[in-house]
Amino acid sequence: MRIVALAGGIGGARFLRGLKDVVAPGDEITVIGNTGDDIHLFGLKVCPDLDTVMYTLGGGIHEEQGWGRSEESYAVKDELAAYGVGPSWFGLGDKDFATHIVRTQMLGAGYPLSAVTEALCDRWQPGVRLLPMSDDRVETHVRITDEQGTRAVHFQEYWVKLHAAVTAEAIIPVGADTAKPAPGVLEAIAAADVILLPPSNPVVSIGTILAVPGIRRAVAQAAAPVVGLSPIIGGAPVRGMADKVLAAVGVEATAEAVALHYGSDLIDGWLVDEADADAVAAVTAGGIRCLAVPLLMSDPAATAAMARAALDLAERVRA
């Protein structure tokens, strides 16, 4: 079976780990990763979502944080601070710096991001084919109004530095409208037997991937069933501050609203948590097959059960 998943960072990566646990030997998983969170820091190209997937599936992630490397140190960050060089709000560890140095050197030598990602994965062996959504530069920005006036800031600044404490007025995937899908992306979608939307942020993770011209259409027109999992449980995001960016695009932070935001033209099936079982009827009425199952990734077994439920729902849709 050929499975394609569109994934953001922590939630997507952890779901993918559970998915790997339930697929049969010989099944192929292709992950189309969000690059809208990418940022240039200290002269280096940093790809937070791609790296989180790579480290998580390759066994190098900091489990408690869900991002960055395990057993990390921060000597370089401390030295940069001693020189008065910022930004200080974005913490890169020493091991993580090595990844970004290699990536930046390869990009500088003319390799596209997709080839660089493949080379980095040669070390980590994540057990999936990890593709950036595009080789072109795309950055998600957020329009805010604060004491400095109305301005756009990089999503990382909004999320990490400002902690989403300022109202997000608009989400702008800068460069997405002229970007092209990376090599292999559209082909993988067309050849898929199942397409999954993990419980990643629907606006700035999966939404940014879908903003690249051709990708949403390819998913919507694919012969494979498309099944998503709600990142919202009981009216709140399981992790992070997805409710802040959902509000910016006029979507309520509910399992039902996120499903209808994706739309029946895109997804065929939707899983909500048992706490949101009352949303099943409304989602079904919107033309999307919906089931309520446990959706908290509390441990590996629970995560694997979620992945199995998504694949089972895909089979029901197919039938």
Side-chain angles (χ1 to χ4, degrees):
M1 183 164 59
R2 292 163 295 190
I3 303 168
V4 169
L6 279 58
I10 299 171
R14 288 181 172 172
F15 173 81
L16 289 166
R17 190 161 55 185
L19 180 64
K20 283 179 60 182
D21 288 341
V22 300
V23 296
D27 287 351
E28 299 175 359
I29 302 173
T30 298
V31 179
I32 300 170
N34 170 46
T35 61
D37 286 13
D38 292 5
I39 188 170
H40 284 79
L41 296 169
F42 312 110
L44 302 175
K45 171 81 166 179
V46 180
C47 300
D49 282 4
L50 293 179
D51 290 345
T52 295
V53 171
M54 182 175 71
Y55 293 156
T56 300
L57 300 185
I61 199 72
H62 189 300
E63 289 290 348
E64 290 73 27
Q65 292 179 164
W67 52 269
R69 290 286 304 280
S70 60
E71 300 179 357
E72 185 61 282
S73 56
Y74 291 89
V76 174
K77 180 184 178 184
D78 292 343
E79 284 298 304
L80 287 168
Y83 281 112
V85 174
S88 60
W89 51 266
F90 200 98
L92 295 178
D94 300 329
K95 295 178 182 178
D96 208 18
F97 261 110
T99 298
H100 310 316
I101 291 169
V102 172
R103 177 186 291 117
T104 306
Q105 286 180 332
M106 291 188 69
L107 290 170
Y111 291 96
L113 182 59
S114 52
V116 175
T117 303
E118 182 179 5
L120 294 172
C121 286
D122 282 344
R123 176 198 174 179
W124 288 101
Q125 295 295 306
V128 302
R129 183 187 184 200
L130 179 59
L131 301 175
M133 66 188 194
S134 178
D135 282 337
D136 299 318
R137 184 172 177 174
V138 178
E139 291 184 0
T140 302
H141 289 195
V142 182
R143 191 181 74 214
I144 63 172
T145 299
D146 59 9
E147 64 277 1
Q148 299 182 44
T150 298
R151 59 196 179 102
V153 298
H154 192 287
F155 174 71
Q156 294 293 348
E157 181 176 350
Y158 176 76
W159 205 253
V160 180
K161 180 181 181 181
L162 301 178
H163 304 291
V166 183
T167 299
E169 300 171 350
I171 308 298
I172 309 104
V174 178
D177 56 337
T178 57
K180 296 179 180 179
V185 167
L186 298 183
E187 293 82 356
I189 293 171
D193 297 304
V194 177
I195 299 174
L196 300 176
L197 306 187
S200 298
N201 191 304
V203 179
V204 296
S205 292
I206 295 177
T208 303
I209 297 171
L210 295 172
V212 176
I215 294 183
R216 184 185 178 99
R217 182 175 66 249
V219 173
Q221 295 179 350
V226 182
V227 172
L229 297 91
S230 176
I232 305 293
I233 296 179
V238 177
R239 185 183 180 99
M241 299 160 276
D243 52 332
K244 305 293 186 180
V245 291
L246 281 167
V249 296
V251 178
E252 288 185 272
T254 67
E256 171 191 341
V258 174
L260 299 179
H261 170 67
Y262 282 133
S264 59
D265 62 319
L266 182 73
I267 60 174
D268 305 300
W270 186 246
L271 292 179
V272 301
D273 188 76
E274 291 174 321
D276 297 308
D278 57 354
V280 171
V283 175
T284 301
I288 301 167
R289 188 80 172 266
C290 185
L291 294 175
V293 301
L295 287 187
L296 281 175
M297 293 186 283
S298 53
D299 56 46
T303 308
M306 285 172 53
R308 171 50 62 195
L311 295 176
D312 288 346
L313 180 55
E315 288 304 312
R316 294 191 191 190
V317 168
R318 194 194 316 275

